Amino acid sequence: MARVDLKNVRKSYGTVPVIHGVDLTIEDGEFVVFVGPSGCGKSTLLRMIAGLEEINGGDILIEGERMNAVPPAKRGIAMVFQSYALYPHMSVRKNLSFGLETARAPKAEIEAKVAKAAEILRIEHLLDRKPKQLSGGQRQRVAIGRAIVREPRLFLFDEPLSNLDAELRVQMRVEIAKLHSDLGTSMVYVTHDQVEAMTLADKIVVLHGGVIEQVGSPLDLYNNPANIFVAGFIGSPRMNFFKGKAVAGKTLALEMAGTVIPVPLTPPAGLTDVVLGVRPEHISIGGTDGVLLGRATIDIVEQLGGQTIAYGRFADGQNVTIVCEGQKQIAHKQEVELRALPTLLHAFDGTEKRITA
Amino acid sequence: MASIAQPSSGLGQTVRKSLPAYGFLSPWLIGLFCLTAGPVLASLYLSFTNFDLIQTPRWVGTANYERIFTNDPKFIAAMKVTFTYVLLSVPFKLAFALMLAMALNRGIQGLSIYRAIFYLPSLLGASVAIAVLWRQVFAGDGLLNAVLKWAFGYQGPSWISNPDYALYTLVSLSIWQFGSPMIIFLAGLRQIPQDMYEAASLDGAGPMRQMFKITLPLLTPVIFFNGVIQTIEAFKAFTPAFIVSEGTGGPVDSTMFYTLYLYLEGFAYLRMGYASALAWVLVVIIAFFTAFSFLSAKYWVHYDD
């Protein structure tokens, strides 16, 4: 287990900065997920912790020890690559033992550690196979096994599930969560899939353009996103954003497509343009609970069995997505009244920051 | 009731469909049959005859082959020279090509320029002009000795007239033509995923262990390909020996390559039948080496799929 501190960590490729001074602490035994769109710098940051990318500024500390110039193998970390990076010419057993053999560990110790890792991942029967004889899921297990035998103080995962099909991804996700609870080792996990982030993380770090947008627990990010980017990135389907004009008064209210929507917040001074954020699952069709958002025409309805997802438009052309529990019958082009509980409404100011007061 | 149209004639239609393809292929097909396959088969027949290019070939059965294996000291000498040349030039050339490919693969600037410069000798190397140049460089009063004298005060021998050195001079000329295997090695090195090295460095492997445990094993398909091609090329080497020894295979048969001996038998002594038999023996030797390489491949070549 290890605590990791990133202090004003910076990285540039030539003159192009890609990580702009990141400060972050990963506590002992914590499962931290770096999440963000492609090119946000999440993999670069992970590789900097691994020592695979040089850092141009700041410090990386593992258990208080400065790691900037320490080679990857001496950092006490293990990494699982997106491509698995298994050695294709070696058997699974050799893949697992390569690092220990390199470190000249005693043979008996190597055998014991390989056997233990194989048992944890249930790959004992695959030990004498070559990687090409394994399925995607099995390769993934071997890649994780290779990390386990090193008994690292920190695990790094770089989008490890992105090459697996949907079903296997869910299965492996559960296994990684179980592995974390069994081993109790600190883990840093990179993904662009916010569902993976929400389900696995103790702490999510949302990155955008090489900058940390917000750090927090999954539910904290879901309930209290710091800005429009985080609000849109966390949650699936993504949050609805409606543009409106602030209506003068002591309590925040905005006017959208002829409807005035009160939001139980104090408006900051000089507020004119407001973006209202409402999660699709917080909008109800019809009923009397909550405040009226307006009337929308439904264009497309998707029946998922357990849920119904409807896509529609307000009179001013703004799109809206609604998620209803169960199998809701909504006709094509039907005009519906949309409502939401005021406490579940989010409002963002002109700088895209969430209004919290 | 509408009848279902039957194809007029399956075979005829296939031939008609293929005709344009064969039309476009015809220059190559004519070349293959008239200039390659025809002479190859003719030489197989001639290897069982006495033929001096003037009189009609006279059937002698296996007499030519019997002479090769029982009563031809020059054949043994040529085999020795050729095998020495193959066993020295191929590994050295491949090692040199691999070394340079690895150096070029380190992401240096101006890679394409270096690649072109290093490839140049291979473009020129097998030519008569370069063999002539080589003769001048390695002659008693050549450039090499001039440099040796200037730098170390050492008066070197004539590297091409001395039977102790002549063959090794030709080996060095062969190694100098490392460009083609180097380009193929370079392509092979670039196929090895970077994350393989990253995983190895996380596993604590330093540059040497990475080279022996990652690079070389993953490069074995390319090493195998280059090895087979270069071995065949080395067995077929002719021009350098012909020019440097001025067509004699001398001094004292020290550069009597198999192909040079074959050439002398055919075109100097006009023993075309015997030369054909020698050619077919070489074919069998090359086929044996190639087959052996392919059979051994499953023990040391790692294919990803």
Side-chain angles (χ1 to χ4, degrees), chain B residues 19-34:
Chain B
L19 271 180
Y22 284 112
F24 284 113
L25 281 172
S26 59
W28 183 83
L29 286 173
I30 291 167
L32 175 71
F33 287 113
C34 300

Side-chain angles (χ1 to χ4, degrees), chain A residues 18-268:
Chain A
V18 288
I19 301 288
H20 306 254
V22 163
D23 289 292
L24 180 70
T25 295
I26 297 158
E27 301 292 348
D28 254 5
E30 205 171 28
F31 198 123
V32 175
V33 175
F34 293 172
V35 72
S38 295
C40 70
K42 55 191 187 297
S43 283
T44 307
L45 197 56
L46 187 86
R47 290 166 58 79
M48 288 159 81
I49 298 172
L52 298 173
E53 296 278 353
E54 222 175 292
I55 71 171
N56 300 128
D59 287 315
I60 292 176
L61 298 106
I62 300 180
E63 286 179 337
E65 194 188 339
R66 192 169 179 268
M67 287 287 141
N68 295 28
V70 176
K74 301 253 165 76
R75 295 189 179 199
I77 52 146
M79 183 161 163
V80 177
F81 291 81
Q82 182 177 1
S83 64
Y84 316 133
L86 298 178
Y87 310 125
H89 54 295
M90 295 184 197
S91 64
V92 168
R93 190 189 304 278
K94 276 277 170 197
N95 264 282
L96 296 183
S97 64
F98 184 74
L100 297 170
E101 283 172 8
T102 306
R104 297 179 194 278
K107 212 175 165 199
E109 185 191 325
I110 295 175
E111 279 173 15
K113 283 185 176 176
V114 168
K116 191 178 162 201
E119 190 192 333
I120 290 172
L121 295 161
R122 300 189 307 279
I123 52 171
E124 297 104 316
H125 60 296
L126 305 175
L127 285 175
D128 294 317
R129 291 198 198 164
K130 293 270 176 69
K132 68 182 172 189
Q133 296 166 306
L134 306 178
S135 67
Q138 289 170 332
R139 285 181 201 194
Q140 183 56 263
R141 278 173 211 273
V142 176
I144 295 172
R146 190 167 62 177
I148 290 176
V149 292
R150 291 173 53 81
E151 294 182 351
R153 47 188 181 172
L154 174 68
F155 279 95
L156 304 173
F157 293 89
D158 189 3
E159 305 209 26
L161 308 185
S162 57
N163 289 341
L164 302 178
D165 62 46
E167 195 183 333
L168 208 51
R169 204 178 303 164
V170 174
Q171 195 186 325
M172 285 305 296
R173 200 170 73 201
V174 173
E175 294 208 20
I176 289 173
K178 191 168 170 299
L179 191 72
H180 178 244
S181 83
D182 289 349
L183 299 176
T185 313
S186 313
M187 292 185 176
V188 183
Y189 186 106
V190 163
T191 181
H192 62 268
D193 181 343
Q194 55 91 23
V195 177
E196 268 174 37
M198 292 292 284
T199 51
L200 285 170
D202 294 322
K203 183 155 89 185
I204 294 179
V205 178
V206 183
L207 285 149
H208 184 216
V211 173
I212 292 182
E213 295 281 351
Q214 192 173 358
V215 179
S217 71
L219 288 182
D220 190 28
L221 296 192
Y222 180 85
N223 294 325
N224 306 302
N227 52 42
I228 285 185
F229 178 81
V230 177
F233 200 81
I234 301 292
S236 177
R238 77 194 292 266
M239 184 186 276
N240 293 291
F241 296 108
F242 308 122
K243 286 179 183 163
K245 291 281 175 199
V247 177
K250 278 190 178 173
T251 308
L252 177 63
L254 72 149
E255 194 247 315
M256 185 187 87
T259 307
V260 174
I261 306 164
V263 185
L265 294 167
T266 311

Side-chain angles (χ1 to χ4, degrees), chain B residues 283-297:
Chain B
V283 167
V284 171
I285 291 170
I286 291 176
F288 173 79
F289 262 81
T290 310
F292 176 76
S293 303
F294 272 90
L295 286 176
S296 73

